[in-house]
Amino acid sequence: MTLAKLPQNAKVAVLGAGILGLTFTYFLSKYRPDIQFTIFEKQCRPGGWMLSPSLVVKDTQESIVLEKGPRTLRGVKDGTLLMIDILRQLGLQSQVEVLSKTCIANKKYILDSSREIVQVPDSIGSAVNFAKNVLFMDAKMIFGVLEEPFVKPLKDDETIEQFFKRRFGSTALTDNVMSAVIHGIYAGDVGKLSVKSVLPFLKDIEVQSGSVIKHMLKSLAKSKSKTPEEISPELQEYEELISPCAGLLELQKKLKNYPMIKLQGGMEVFPKSLATYLETNTNTKILYNSTIDSVDAITGKVNGEQFDHIRSTINSHALAKALPSTDTLVPELKSIQYASIFLTNVYTKTPSLIPKGKPGFGFLCPRYRNITQNEDALLGTIYDSDVENNVEGLFSSVKATPQEANKITIMMGGHYYSHWSIPSDGINLKIVKNVLESKLNVDLSKFNIKVIKDGEPLEVDTIKDDDLIISYNLHLHCIPQYNLGYYETKAKVDEILQHDYKLSFGGAVFGDGIGVPDCVILSFKDTLKLK
């Protein structure tokens, strides 16, 4: 898309007060304090899918954070560095918690074909067990690894499944490993997702090196030789013009020891605090409970009000509905598919939810070749209490005080819901109980189960040792799917926007990935073009 510099005292409309709309406004307001921002938000709160309500226990006044959306940031990404610096600027550095490389919460698991929880390798012993039970169950895979360096490259786009099957002669990698990884990120189907859009580096490796195996071996050799540390040009400009004392290079070095980052009060702390800052310190007004009835992306009107630029971070179908039916963007926006998630938080005071001897971050569930074999539509389970019990402050020496209570999150649905209608809440609750019993070996007969329905107040009178709290939410159309054909759709949308449109897209729909850090760095890059 083409982004032109905005005139003095410009008016900018931002569609959506999620983290992506808020960070875009923050960055641009730093460069251009003269700009007037209006953020349209359909909900009564900021944050979008970033939601961290607390379960209130009335008799003890205890508050238990239940993450309903993104809960951790992974890797030393540019967007992560920017988020942490913003938190420092907001005086919230004490909220930033990290997990070290060596703590047990970094252990990850995958269900094998017999539905046993198998650890993802972090040692020679676990690597042997993983290869035996997960990776090399298909004998073709062994020969496929040996033959992969001789497979001819293919420039054309294909699904993730097609890519791995073509290069390794087997679907073992996609069936048993990649499908699980993709479930944890996109909740999508490796048989439909575009490798060029989801894993573009693999296509680059194939075209440039001719072989994934050869590239991996070369990368291992290069990793032994140290290279000078530096930050990206975008981060350099951020330091020069927005936050001169950020020290992002030092922060980047420090975070290499901590592959996982979370916020003490839940991820929603970030958007809530950022929204308050913007309304208090910038020319920004946030219109909550505001539906977007009409958008003219050429004239720049939103609900009849004139703007110099429109930044959309909302669902592409919602935007398509607001645009004139004759707008050439409409069919492209409608073509984007979304996945829905049935998310369940489970809490008990007794340590009985996480399998003994298998602590960690949680497990992901690979796809099953026969769709009827995964009637649970299970995507994965996160061991929240293991994560919370092993954190330490990034900017302090404070460490978590381990608690006996267990808290987990079960995720179901995703692409499986495209094969049948989304089950009723009652059926999904039965499935949740089945997952607890069959996958986590929880004896539910020992518990008094208390269910908090979607939309009900998150509160209970008391929590006894034999109480099991279940809180569930159905997140409809929450994750865009980069299915085969998306790469071409994105290119077409970029081409359309070059013709007199006062519109740009932020976030996951037409960005460089669906991860929060990926979307935050996109917000910053686009402000550089508009400033």
Side-chain angles (χ1 to χ4, degrees):
M1 68 187 79
T2 300
L3 296 175
K5 184 175 179 179
L6 295 170
Q8 193 69 17
N9 300 317
K11 292 178 63 179
V12 173
V14 179
L15 311 185
I19 190 62
L20 310 177
L22 295 172
T23 52
F24 172 82
T25 305
Y26 175 84
F27 293 136
L28 190 51
S29 69
K30 286 291 184 180
Y31 280 120
R32 294 286 304 276
D34 60 294
I35 292 177
Q36 300 174 52
F37 297 92
T38 301
I39 303 178
F40 297 84
E41 173 53 51
K42 68 177 181 180
Q43 298 187 74
C44 61
R45 45 164 285 275
W49 296 115
M50 201 170 273
L51 177 62
S52 316
S54 289
L55 170 64
V56 177
V57 186
K58 291 182 180 178
D59 64 348
T60 63
Q61 292 300 302
E62 184 181 7
S63 291
I64 302 163
V65 175
L66 301 180
E67 289 283 18
K68 299 291 185 180
R71 62 203 59 221
T72 58
L73 305 174
R74 288 183 170 275
V76 186
K77 292 193 170 185
D78 284 1
T80 302
L81 296 174
L82 293 181
M83 291 176 70
I84 292 176
D85 188 62
I86 294 173
L87 285 163
R88 288 191 298 193
Q89 298 297 325
L90 298 177
L92 297 170
Q93 58 268 29
S94 62
Q95 282 283 332
V96 184
E97 297 179 328
V98 291
L99 290 101
S100 69
K101 288 180 179 179
T102 56
C103 78
I104 61 169
N106 273 306
K107 292 182 181 292
K108 304 170 191 70
Y109 303 87
I110 281 180
L111 286 187
D112 67 11
S113 59
S114 63
R115 311 301 188 264
E116 289 296 318
I117 299 174
V118 179
Q119 185 182 342
V120 174
D122 66 353
S123 65
I124 294 176
S126 59
V128 171
N129 187 55
F130 186 81
K132 181 178 69 175
N133 291 287
V134 177
L135 196 54
F136 291 128
M137 290 189 66
D138 181 358
K140 292 181 181 179
M141 185 64 198
I142 300 174
F143 295 104
V145 170
L146 297 174
E147 295 172 355
E148 192 275 338
F150 305 100
V151 176
K152 292 182 179 180
L154 178 66
K155 291 183 179 181
D156 296 338
D157 196 10
E158 55 194 325
T159 67
I160 296 173
E161 178 183 27
Q162 289 169 336
F163 176 86
F164 281 99
K165 185 177 181 181
R166 178 175 55 81
R167 294 218 61 85
F168 293 93
S170 167
T171 60
L173 263 175
T174 46
D175 289 345
N176 304 330
V177 181
M178 285 307 303
S179 60
V181 174
I182 294 300
H183 281 165
I185 303 172
Y186 288 85
D189 184 354
V190 289
K192 293 182 179 179
L193 289 167
S194 155
V195 71
K196 212 169 185 178
S197 301
V198 176
L199 302 168
F201 65 92
L202 286 179
K203 270 295 182 182
D204 292 340
I205 287 171
E206 179 181 37
V207 174
Q208 294 169 13
S209 302
S211 164
V212 175
I213 298 294
K214 284 182 181 178
H215 178 83
M216 289 173 60
L217 294 174
K218 288 179 182 178
S219 297
L220 286 173
K222 286 182 180 179
S223 65
K224 294 179 181 179
S225 59
K226 292 186 177 180
T227 55
E229 297 276 2
E230 60 180 15
I231 56 175
S232 68
E234 290 81 13
L235 293 187
Q236 290 176 30
E237 183 154 2
Y238 174 83
E239 282 194 326
E240 290 173 10
L241 300 177
I242 292 183
S243 186
C245 300
L248 296 181
L249 179 58
E250 291 305 313
L251 180 59
Q252 180 176 267
K253 291 177 182 177
K254 189 174 184 178
L255 286 179
K256 287 186 177 179
N257 297 314
Y258 304 108
M260 203 181 331
I261 303 157
K262 65 178 290 293
L263 300 186
Q264 187 180 69
M267 292 301 291
E268 190 182 8
V269 167
F270 189 15
K272 286 175 70 174
S273 302
L274 189 53
T276 299
Y277 169 84
L278 290 172
E279 288 190 293
T280 306
N281 298 280
T282 69
N283 293 324
T284 301
K285 59 181 178 181
I286 304 178
L287 305 180
Y288 294 109
N289 300 308
S290 176
T291 59
I292 300 167
D293 301 315
S294 65
V295 174
D296 191 321
I298 296 176
T299 64
K301 288 186 178 181
V302 177
N303 291 352
E305 185 177 354
Q306 185 70 53
F307 293 93
D308 296 289
H309 187 77
I310 303 168
R311 179 72 167 188
S312 176
T313 66
I314 63 175
N315 181 292
S316 66
H317 296 182
L319 179 59
K321 188 176 179 181
L323 288 169
S325 59
T326 55
D327 195 309
T328 51
L329 277 175
V330 170
E332 308 305 325
L333 297 178
K334 287 183 175 180
S335 72
I336 302 298
Q337 298 177 39
Y338 286 81
S340 300
I341 305 292
F342 189 86
L343 185 145
T344 307
N345 305 99
V346 186
Y347 177 87
T348 176
K349 281 190 172 182
T350 58
S352 54
L353 300 178
I354 298 171
K356 291 183 179 179
K358 294 183 178 180
F361 183 76
F363 68 85
L364 292 172
C365 184
R367 74 171 186 183
Y368 301 117
R369 295 299 296 172
N370 184 347
I371 196 68
T372 61
Q373 291 179 7
N374 191 13
E375 294 176 350
D376 291 345
L378 180 63
L379 301 172
T381 298
I382 299 170
Y383 303 160
D384 298 297
S385 48
D386 271 3
V387 172
E388 293 173 8
N389 284 339
N390 287 278
V391 297
E392 57 186 276
L394 178 62
F395 300 109
S396 70
S397 57
V398 177
K399 293 190 177 183
T401 302
Q403 306 291 320
E404 283 196 349
N406 268 189
K407 179 167 56 173
I408 66 173
T409 301
I410 297 172
M411 298 167 293
M412 305 184 311
H415 70 95
Y416 290 110
Y417 284 167
S418 66
H419 296 275
W420 56 71
S421 299
I422 297 176
S424 67
D425 290 350
I427 291 175
N428 269 332
L429 280 173
K430 288 181 181 179
I431 294 173
V432 167
K433 293 174 184 178
N434 179 60
V435 170
L436 289 168
E437 290 179 321
S438 64
K439 306 296 190 303
L440 297 167
N441 300 316
V442 178
D443 186 352
L444 292 182
S445 66
K446 295 181 178 180
F447 289 98
N448 172 38
I449 300 174
K450 297 180 178 180
V451 177
I452 302 175
K453 298 179 180 179
D454 194 348
E456 289 185 345
L458 269 177
E459 57 184 31
V460 291
D461 292 329
T462 186
I463 300 181
K464 298 179 180 178
D465 289 345
D466 61 348
D467 285 341
L468 185 78
I469 310 299
I470 294 178
S471 168
Y472 69 83
N473 300 82
L474 176 61
H475 297 323
L476 284 170
H477 315 305
C478 57
I479 305 177
Q481 301 296 287
Y482 299 169
N483 289 338
L484 200 61
Y486 166 83
Y487 191 84
E488 291 74 19
T489 298
K490 181 181 177 182
K492 190 170 182 179
V493 167
D494 283 343
E495 182 183 353
I496 292 172
L497 292 182
Q498 292 179 24
H499 301 287
D500 299 321
Y501 274 77
K502 296 182 178 181
L503 172 71
S504 66
F505 288 99
V509 182
F510 296 115
D512 299 322
I514 66 167
V516 173
D518 299 320
C519 297
V520 169
I521 192 61
L522 176 65
S523 293
F524 179 68
K525 287 178 179 179
D526 282 353
T527 62
L528 296 179
K529 300 171 185 175
L530 285 166
K531 69 183 179 70

